[in-house]
Amino acid sequence: QQHDEAFLREGEMCRQLPDALQRYRAHCFRGIGFTAVTSFTLDIMNVRRLCSIATDSNTQDHEACMTYATSLFYAKQNNPDALIHPF
């Protein structure tokens, strides 16, 4: 798909955070979830696919990406005009 490579690179950047910044790793993957929903699609299956690509099957990273993405997805479905801000 068109954006797969970008999500793969974003995930690699999150995984390569220096040790001193590892406490922000989940925030990094939440940001990917935010990007998946707000920039590209309101198709939850595609969001799941993009989070899977970004997280390289790491359960905690995937959970961070999907938890944030699904909360945004839910908000947008219930109020399409809602302004959604990251974090």
Side-chain angles (χ1 to χ4, degrees), residues 3-78:
H3 305 291
D4 291 4
E5 186 64 30
F7 278 83
L8 182 63
R9 283 194 313 269
E10 286 182 55
E12 288 171 355
M13 286 188 279
C14 290
R15 283 188 293 282
Q16 294 173 359
L17 286 172
D19 289 342
L21 298 176
Q22 279 298 309
R23 66 179 176 261
Y24 299 111
R25 183 176 172 134
H27 294 287
C28 190
F29 282 103
R30 287 183 198 123
I32 293 173
F34 175 83
T35 302
V37 172
T38 60
S39 299
F40 297 109
T41 183
L42 282 178
D43 173 357
I44 195 65
M45 294 307 289
N46 195 38
V47 168
R48 181 179 178 191
R49 188 181 67 74
L50 293 170
C51 281
S52 292
I53 288 168
T55 60
D56 194 30
S57 301
N58 179 296
T59 304
Q60 289 180 321
D61 296 342
H62 191 263
E63 182 180 312
C65 186
M66 283 302 298
T67 298
Y68 201 73
T70 54
S71 66
L72 293 173
F73 184 80
Y74 179 78
K76 287 298 269 183
Q77 288 293 340
N78 287 303

